[in-house]
Structure formats: structure tokens, C-alpha cells
Amino acid sequence: MRTPPAPRTTANTPLATTAPPPPAPAPAPAPAPTTRAEGPMTAGHPAGRERTRGRPGWRLRFAVLCLIWGFSFLLIKVGTDGFAPLYVTLGRLLFGTLVLLAVLIVKRERLPRGVRTWGHLAVAAFLLNAFPFSLFAYAELHISSTLAGICNATTPLWGMLLSLVALSEDRPTRRRIAGLGLGFVGVLTVLGAWQGFSGQDPAGTAMALTASLSYAVGWIYVRRTLAHTSHSNLSMAGGQLLLGTVQLGLVTPFFAAAPDSLPVLPLLSVLALGALGTGLAFLLQYGLVAEVGPTTATLVTYFIPVIATAAGVLLLGEALTWNTPVGAVIVLAGAALTQRGPRRVAAARRPSESPRQP
């Protein structure tokens, strides 16, 4: 499950996630490559951010966001039981877009303007939504939702590795290099490398890891092209999800047969994945970034694989061997190390640099 617009906020950068994801934004304002989840995903606006940690209620919304993005991978798995993966992704984007467009109408905000902005949003929609969401859906035909959620947690590792090349402000440090190496060890532990990866589907695992890589590439692209746009992050998120929906709507009929029935449980899963895991999750995530700042909001990243694992084991009866949770903890520890940079860098981060959607 997604993802972040996390999912994606970068100052006015797409997050629409998720996700669980995957992984969402979101989706939703796009987080910086060093941060994730589904789930995100779309754009963020730095103006007016307030630090009101003492305000009651944000912890509850934080918990809800963790649950939504953590359950995204279970919803993807259930959705693919009744629909082709591309139709699961198309439905997810469609319902998520409808939620954000409804909020735009209520708030009387407009979608972004300018051909250049829409061009960048089209690329962001592909890298942060259409492509990774589809890959996670296809991956879960072959691997468990638990493994998909853990693969999603590698996004910060990909982000750090790529940012060292693409973003001049991200300098390598011993701590971050150690985190990257530790995360790699964690991935090998999850996959059971000492057993020759027996019991794991290489194609499904590769698709899930590629989806996480796509999130990282998308966030770097957003930071370089949309970080200084004047549009609100709600407007950017709505535009990004709308473009992602159009992209999938154009290609899906050519690569997947239309469903001949609408089974209730898979349909409800896709509806929840879009309306909650992509649309509502973006709104919750943006509110958290504005209220408690990106540093606290990025902690969502570390709860997503835990919840995805619990949901897969308890509700879907997925098998769990000792190396899966142990490897997941190692991955998360490595991801945490990669995000600890010099204090001056952390202070300069924009509100949009928050968890991505699965």
C-alpha cells in the first residue's frame, strides 16, 4: 500500500497519498525523500504553520492516521480479491480525488493554474500515485500484505540514497551511512537471505520495493520543481490526484478487463482505500504537519509496518516467522538513523516534509 499528497508536505509539494501502504500522502502533500507510509503524497503550504503541541486532539488524529495507512495494505489485498490491480488503483484514486474536490468546493478553493505547474503535477502524480499504487496492488497478488507494508518502510532508505546524489543540501554523514547499511541488513533479514530467499516471491517483492523507490524519486522531483509554488497544498493535492486518476483512467481499459460483477467486500475495500486511505488521510496528515510540525508527523512512518503486520496476521491469517518482525525493526532503525541530520538542516525543513502515503 500507495506511497505519501508520505502521504504528501514539502513547501507546496504534492503528497497525495499512502501508503500503505501503502501508502498516502495522498496520499496528499509530498514529504521530503528522507521521511514516509501508503501514503502518503501531495503539495504543502508553509504559511501559517503553528506549533501548538499542547492542543488536545492531535494525538487522536495521529493514531487514526497510523491506523488508516497501516490498514491500507490489507485493503489492497482484499480489493485485489475481486478486481484487477489496475482497477483497484483506479478506484482508489477516483474516490480519493472526489474527497479532496469536495473539500475544495466547501473551502471555495480552486485547482492550481499554469501549464508548467500542471506539467510538474502530472509527473508527480505518476511517480507518487499512479505507478507505486499500481505496483503495490500487483505485488499483493504474490506477497502478503505484511511484507508489502514492510517494503513500504524502505522508502526513507531509498530517499536518503537518492538525495545524496540529487539534493545538494543533503550531505552524507557517518550516522546516515550507517542507517542505510542497517536498513539494507533489515531488508535481507525480512526476506530470509540466509535461506536463499525461500518462501518469498521475488517478482512480488521486487514490485513492492520498486514502488517504495518510486515514492522516493517522486518526492525528490517535487522538492526540485514544486517546493516554491504559491498554491495551497490542498489545491495541489487535488490537482495531483485528479491527474493520477486521469492517467489510470486512460490506460486501465487497455491492460485489464473490466469487472463483470461488483463483489461487496472488495468494493468496500477500494472505497475505503480511496476515501479514507487517500483522501481523508491527506487531510489528517496536512493538519498534523500544521499543528505539531513535520518532525512529529513523520513518526507515522514507523507505525505503518507494525499496523500492517498486525492487520495481516490477525485479520487475513498471514503467516509470520521470526525474521519478519525482527527485520522490520532493523529496517525502521536504519530509516530513523538516515533522518537524523544536523540541527540546522532539520530546522530548515518545510512543513511539507512529512510522511508519505502507502
Side-chain angles (χ1 to χ4, degrees), residues 4-10 12-17 25-31 40-44 100 121 128-129 219 222 233-241 282 285 352 357:
R8 26 289 254 71
T9 359
T10 314
N12 309 333
T13 51
L15 158 79
T17 124
M41 307 150 290
T42 319
L100 294 189
L121 282 177
L128 292 171
N129 303 119
W219 294 335
V222 162
N233 85 317
L234 175 60
S235 173
M236 297 287 283
Q240 180 177 311
L241 279 187
F282 159 73
Q285 190 264 350
S352 51
Q357 185 177 12

Side-chain angles (χ1 to χ4, degrees), residues 137 140 180 189 203 262 271 298 320 346:
E140 291 200 40
L180 187 61
T189 302
L262 297 176
L271 175 61
T298 57
L320 185 67

Side-chain angles (χ1 to χ4, degrees), residues 23-357:
T34 54
T35 64
R36 159 164 174 352
E38 198 344 77
M41 307 150 290
T42 319
H45 201 318
R49 177 160 64 97
E50 298 178 351
R51 300 222 177 224
T52 55
R53 295 180 185 275
R55 177 179 170 186
W58 74 265
R59 291 177 180 82
L60 176 60
R61 285 178 281 120
F62 179 91
V64 171
L65 183 59
C66 291
L67 287 173
I68 288 176
W69 276 344
F71 271 86
S72 292
F73 298 96
L74 179 147
L75 294 175
I76 292 172
K77 174 69 78 173
V78 176
T80 55
D81 285 341
F83 304 106
L86 283 179
Y87 278 101
V88 171
T89 304
L90 177 59
R92 174 182 189 175
L93 287 171
L94 175 60
F95 292 127
T97 300
L98 292 177
V99 170
L100 294 189
L101 291 181
V103 175
L104 281 170
I105 293 173
V106 171
K107 290 181 172 289
R108 297 183 179 180
E109 289 191 35
R110 296 182 177 181
L111 290 170
R113 296 181 179 182
V115 175
R116 186 180 183 85
T117 297
W118 280 97
H120 289 315
L121 282 177
V123 177
F126 176 77
L127 293 173
L128 292 171
N129 303 119
F131 184 57
F133 287 2
S134 298
L135 281 178
F136 271 121
Y138 274 107
E140 291 200 40
L141 293 177
H142 308 282
I143 63 175
S144 66
S145 64
T146 295
L147 180 56
I150 294 173
C151 288
N152 181 78
T154 64
T155 299
L157 302 175
W158 290 116
M160 195 221 80
L161 183 62
L162 294 174
S163 67
L164 295 179
V165 177
L167 299 175
S168 59
E169 67 268 26
D170 284 328
R171 301 297 182 186
T173 64
R174 290 181 180 179
R175 182 189 297 270
R176 300 185 75 192
I177 295 298
L180 187 61
L182 188 62
F184 181 69
V185 171
V187 172
L188 294 179
T189 302
V190 169
L191 299 179
W194 63 92
Q195 300 172 339
F197 305 106
S198 61
Q200 303 293 350
D201 185 280
T205 304
M207 284 188 282
L209 291 173
T210 302
S212 300
L213 172 60
S214 182
Y215 283 139
V217 174
W219 294 335
I220 290 177
Y221 179 83
V222 162
R223 288 182 65 183
R224 295 178 70 95
T225 61
L226 293 169
H228 303 292
T229 181
S230 60
H231 301 289
S232 74
N233 85 317
L234 175 60
S235 173
M236 297 287 283
Q240 180 177 311
L241 279 187
L242 178 61
L243 287 171
T245 303
V246 172
Q247 291 170 357
L248 260 296
L250 291 175
V251 303
T252 296
F254 296 98
F255 293 95
D260 52 12
S261 63
L262 297 176
V264 175
L265 190 56
L267 180 61
L268 291 177
S269 295
V270 173
L271 175 61
L273 186 62
L276 300 179
T278 304
L280 177 61
F282 159 73
L283 298 175
L284 287 173
Q285 190 264 350
Y286 173 59
L288 284 171
V289 170
E291 184 172 343
V292 300
T295 301
T296 299
T298 57
L299 295 178
V300 173
T301 302
Y302 304 104
F303 289 93
I304 290 173
V306 176
I307 296 172
T309 299
V313 172
L314 297 178
L315 299 181
L316 296 180
E318 294 177 345
L320 185 67
T321 56
W322 69 268
N323 57 296
T324 299
V326 170
V329 170
I330 297 174
V331 168
L332 294 176
L337 285 176
T338 65
Q339 297 186 64
R340 293 189 180 184
R343 182 173 299 180
R344 59 182 180 82
V345 174
R349 285 180 180 162
R350 305 180 184 277
S352 51
E353 300 184 359
S354 46
R356 44 109 209 79
Q357 185 177 12

